[in-house]
Amino acid sequence: MSTVSKSESEEFVSVSNDAGSAHGTAEPVAVVGISCRVPGARNPGEFWDLLASGGQAVTDVPADRWNADDLYDPDRSAPGRMNTRWGGFIEDVDRFDAAFFGISPREAAEMDPQQRLALELGWEALERAGIDPSSLAGTRTGVFAGAIWDDYATLKHRQGGAAITPHTVTGLHRGVIANRLSYTLGLRGPSMVVDSGQSSSLVAVHLACESLRRGESELALAGGVSLNLVPDSTIGASKFGGLSPDGRAYTFDARANGYVRGEGGGFVLLKRLSRALADGDPVLAVIRGSAVNNGGAAQGMTTPDAQAQEAVLREAHERAGTAPADVRYVELHGTGTPVGDPIEAAALGAALGTGRPDGHPLLVGSVKTNIGHLEGAAGIAGLIKAVLALRGRALPASLNYETPNPAIPFEELNLRVNTEYLPWEPEHDGQRMVVGVSSFGMGGTNAHVVLEEAPAAVESASASVDGATVDGDGGGGRGGVVPWVVSAKTPASLDAQLGRLAAFASRDRADDVDAGAVARVLAEGRAEFEHRAVAVGRGTDALAAALAEPDGLVRGVASGVGRVAFVFPGQGTQWAGMGAELLGAFPEFASAMAECEAALAPYVDWSLEAVVRQAPGAPSLERVDVVQPVTFAVMVSLAKLWQHHGVTPQAVIGHSQGEIAAACVAGALSLEDAARVVALRSRS
């Protein structure tokens, strides 16, 4: 989040709220925003870079968490010890801009950092969808968050009863992870924390989709958070026998010996696809269907059940209307455990693999090989990886796979681990990329989500402003002069935002970005704060240059809600070609100018548009009887353009002929009367 310190088969059709999709029984849901903070990546852009490069972010346990030397023992039966010293960790979990969210320092100190992370990620997901978070107060926006651990509560309880404060209960209560976000933004939709074990965050996504389909929510934030703050939970996982002793997840490999704990979180912003398309939202991917079930009385409460996993896969794809041959890839639960991997493979092969044509195995992989197992947030990490893969039209490699697990009959199941960066190549015209995402909980709760790339109707050249997706229609057109506006609560935060924007504008791929689209997102999709700056330029190169120079920016501090006044100058402010670019860029301006031309026509023998465009034979602006009506028309049309964009004056003032334009905009003179006055005045 830019203001908090530490801070893409057939076309879809619009459907009604209670209808099914054209392909299955579930109405499609659009992913319109994403946010994440995972090991090795602070945002979706960095996450994709990590995945695409085949990077892995598992490290030694940081010294600020616990002393691995004191607690590590390769013998997992050793009392009070763990058989691992590795994990996936994120940075700066102790840092939080409490004032940004209106939280006092004392309350912030009592808050579980999972609450803080959820606040930041929720805000980021909204901004990256081009939505001003402050605009959602009172709306039916739901929050569905997966979370399973209470490490911070363990840490606080060690301080004893004397450390309990009025903020302790709300600070440590797991349900408040979601409720805090709803409270801060004033959201009126459902708000809940889901704990179904390691499948929690993907179950949260399923519940959010169902809430949207029922009309219970108009918009939904869904995801999860998980932080490993004290060694206790890791010791517990070690004693349970789930952890890899060498700090690597060997998913579907013969070396599979356990998982690696990771931490972090992510959220997706969801809306019914029909509504998202109608609203012009950026559609990053489409959730075609999902399903949740439980293994019931399986072989053991913590032993996965292949029949239940197969059933949840079949139900999700039935609801999505996808056949096995449609699915290119499945993001596995893929923990890398000796028991879990063969069971998951058997279920996946039965449900999808064996239904595919020979020679076209189902590709599989696991993000846990890159960042570890985020447990309560594992499902959302896999889902966001899938969304990024759809956007990038490529499948990242699954790591640590060398020798096939002998307990998995890959050829019989028609499965293949994807071990390379694989660009998406359609097998036939019109084929859409479809992927599945699985997440299974230790207590038997299974979830599967079916994703498809965004409809072709909304695929366009796009970019990301610090992760915020913008489409290719900025209203200003490519090549036009546009402003990039930034605001923050403090000068330091403003500088940080400007730095990130400068870095974005300087990227090689920024040449393909519509600067007008970026300008629109920055102006309309961000909350407005006191400290502000604006860079103006024609294209990303010029804007990057302006951001790099102190003199290239206009900075200031807004002092409360100001009143707007329009000032209309007299003769002398004109120049040849004024308004010509606006005629081509803004239909509202062109329409207003056409109205002015019609109003002036009874009194002049020349064309307003011809003069503005400097057409051959058009009279010069040096003529007084030309310049005054033309300047009047441009001023009135500019005022209408500002008003179209929501800028309404509380006062107007004019000098000389500007008084006529001011009177017209204020409604004291009709356009016809004002045109007559300015035309006759210019003859005298």
Side-chain angles (χ1 to χ4, degrees), residues 5-310:
S5 63
K6 81 169 205 186
S7 325
E8 188 187 10
S9 168
E10 302 124 346
E11 294 291 323
F12 282 100
V13 295
S14 294
V15 291
S16 65
N17 186 45
D18 58 354
S21 77
H23 306 280
T25 62
E27 179 180 3
V29 170
V31 179
V32 298
I34 55 176
S35 64
C36 66
R37 196 164 308 151
V38 298
R42 296 168 296 180
N43 54 55
E46 291 185 4
F47 191 20
W48 178 245
D49 290 342
L50 177 74
L51 295 169
S53 65
Q56 70 88 21
V58 174
T59 65
D60 289 339
V61 176
D64 61 356
R65 297 301 176 91
W66 58 82
N67 189 322
D69 291 335
D70 290 345
L71 295 172
Y72 171 71
D73 193 312
D75 178 7
R76 64 182 176 89
S77 66
R81 301 290 187 269
M82 61 184 75
N83 68 330
T84 184
R85 56 185 306 135
W86 302 277
F89 297 90
I90 63 174
E91 298 179 347
D92 300 328
V93 293
D94 59 330
R95 299 183 61 191
F96 178 62
D97 191 346
F100 177 84
F101 291 105
I103 297 171
S104 71
R106 288 185 178 180
E107 184 172 9
E110 295 296 313
M111 286 171 57
D112 187 331
Q114 293 180 130
Q115 289 187 29
R116 307 174 191 172
L117 183 59
L119 277 174
E120 295 170 346
L121 291 173
W123 188 282
E124 291 172 6
L126 291 166
E127 283 198 336
R128 290 178 175 133
I131 296 175
D132 174 359
S134 64
S135 71
L136 294 179
T139 64
R140 293 204 309 272
T141 299
V143 181
F144 303 81
I148 69 175
W149 292 111
D150 299 300
D151 280 22
Y152 195 64
T154 299
L155 191 62
K156 292 297 294 182
H157 292 328
R158 288 177 183 169
Q159 298 176 356
I164 297 175
T165 77
H167 301 299
T168 299
V169 171
T170 55
L172 301 183
H173 198 293
R174 202 185 307 165
V176 179
I177 292 172
N179 301 160
R180 179 81 67 174
L181 191 49
S182 298
Y183 171 78
T184 300
L185 299 180
L187 310 179
R188 293 297 182 94
S191 184
M192 65 188 71
V193 167
V194 178
D195 184 353
S196 61
Q198 291 78 0
S199 60
S200 295
S201 59
L202 204 62
V203 172
V205 172
H206 169 79
L207 293 174
C209 291
E210 293 301 301
S211 181
L212 289 165
R213 294 182 179 116
R214 292 194 302 270
E216 183 180 61
S217 299
E218 298 173 342
L219 195 64
L221 282 162
V225 290
S226 188
L227 293 175
N228 304 325
L229 304 177
V230 293
D232 305 53
S233 54
T234 301
I235 293 173
S238 176
K239 300 304 182 195
F240 175 71
L243 299 184
S244 168
D246 50 8
R248 291 292 182 270
Y250 300 108
T251 302
F252 279 23
D253 188 90
R255 296 168 292 172
N257 60 1
Y259 69 90
V260 183
R261 297 195 78 200
E263 68 174 11
F267 276 88
V268 289
L269 184 64
L270 306 175
K271 183 185 283 192
R272 289 186 298 117
L273 178 61
S274 55
R275 177 71 180 272
L277 294 177
D279 292 345
D281 292 316
V283 179
L284 309 183
V286 175
I287 296 178
R288 290 274 296 268
S290 60
V292 171
N293 73 3
N294 190 277
Q299 185 175 352
M301 190 177 74
T302 62
T303 302
D305 184 79
Q307 291 182 338
Q309 291 184 10
E310 178 185 346

